[in-house]
Amino acid sequence: MTLDLLAVGPHRDDVELTCGGTLIKAVDSGKRVGILDLTQGEMGTRGSAELRAQEAETARQLMGVHVRENLGLPDAGITNDNDTRAALVQVIRKLRPRVVIAPAPRGRHPDHRCTTELVRDACFLAGLRKYAPGDHEPFRPIKLLHVITYREDYTKPTFVVNITEQFERKLEAIKVYGSQFDGTTQAGEVYPNGEPLYDIVRHHAAHYGSLIRTQYGEPFFTDETMAVDDVTSLGVSTF
């Protein structure tokens, strides 16, 4: 199996909240897309791991994502050690994603911060032939992206993906996790402002969309400087 895009999230629903629109857009364009949840979410205050598993599969089908796997790491206990790196390396080598999406480099949940470092290290180590040999050939993704939705305290986005056509489906996928979100005003990296959670998601997406003069968007950060071949084709009007 070879994927064009793999999104890695510490908990079921993190990917939908942060970059669900981008995944749906990739599927719409014919790309092969996957999600890897690192934990089963067993420490969540609401719902249960079993219910969240059902919700995650429903969301996968709704988004059209081709594969969704779970690494089974301990919820609220993700570590970036050799055992977890080796486990993640095996999945990367099996799925062979060209591009990997990881959480923002900062996050209020410890699992989110640890996941970011874990994903980066595993992506590099997956290309080393002598590291954790297994059933799959060494492979290293071309690009690592950080999705920084809701993290205004971090940095200005490197780029924003226009998800105007995909936003309602993104929101529908989020609402699948009713056990976690119905009647709430915060979740994951979404800080409360008194509004219902689903309204906050819409307003944030509208803000990011406004940065590129579209209705809805999702922001990303990369450590690398982006290359431009033709400056006359750049989008987003200055005025």
Side-chain angles (χ1 to χ4, degrees), residues 93 124-134 136-140:
R93 288 174 176 169
F124 178 82
L125 293 172
L128 301 181
R129 182 169 297 277
K130 293 182 179 180
Y131 180 80
H136 306 284
E137 288 296 309
F139 174 84
R140 184 175 294 149

Side-chain angles (χ1 to χ4, degrees), residues 8-15 17-18 38-39 52 74-80 102-120 146-147 149-151 187-191:
V8 182
H11 313 104
R12 292 162 171 150
D13 70 39
D14 283 329
V15 166
L17 278 171
T18 57
L38 296 187
T39 77
R52 294 181 78 170
D75 188 12
I78 294 177
T79 57
N80 182 17
R106 295 183 187 176
R108 62 176 179 169
H109 194 306
D111 280 352
H112 294 194
R113 296 192 301 271
C114 289
T115 294
T116 299
E117 294 184 1
L118 172 62
V119 171
R120 186 177 187 89
H146 298 284
V147 59
T149 308
Y150 318 117
R151 299 306 309 184
E189 298 300 321
V190 187
Y191 287 87

